[in-house]
Each structure stands twice: as C-alpha cells, then as structure tokens.
Amino acid sequence: MQAQLDEWSADIDKLKAKADAATADKQLEYYKKIEELQSMQDNANKKLTELKRLGTMLGKT
C-alpha cells in the first residue's frame, strides 16, 4: 500500500508540472486528475493508518 501511495505522489508531482506548462483549458483537466489522485491517496492513507493502529493494538494483547 505504501508503494501505491508513493507512486501517486510521483504522479501528482508530474501532473502539477504539466499543468504549470499547459494552457488554461488543459490545466483544468490536469487539476481534476490531481484532485482525483489526492482523494484516492487520502483514503488510502486513512486506511493504512487504521491498519497500523489495529496492528499495534493486536500486538499488545
């Protein structure tokens, strides 16, 4: 899961660079994709944090 998060971060960085160099019309497309990736990344981060928390709790029992 961490590898996927890292990959999304790299993809977001690439899209931001493309958006900066793009025309206004294309920028909207790039920023929509960036928002989608950031949303997926946020959800995955929440799940990963919860899994780590549960793993810690289970390890204490």
Side-chain angles (χ1 to χ4, degrees):
M1 191 178 272
Q2 186 61 50
Q4 182 63 60
L5 290 169
D6 294 341
E7 184 178 326
W8 284 335
S9 290
D11 290 345
I12 288 168
D13 290 341
K14 289 175 191 174
L15 287 171
K16 285 180 180 178
K18 287 181 180 182
D20 288 343
T23 61
D25 292 341
K26 282 290 189 184
Q27 280 182 338
L28 290 175
E29 291 178 37
Y30 286 124
Y31 284 119
K32 285 180 184 178
K33 185 63 178 172
I34 289 167
E35 287 178 16
E36 290 173 17
L37 287 172
Q38 286 174 330
S39 178
M40 290 188 306
Q41 191 177 41
D42 289 344
N43 289 333
N45 265 322
K46 288 176 188 175
K47 288 178 185 177
L48 183 59
T49 299
E50 184 64 15
L51 287 171
K52 287 179 181 178
R53 187 184 68 78
L54 289 172
T56 300
M57 289 175 58
L58 291 173
K60 292 182 179 179
T61 59

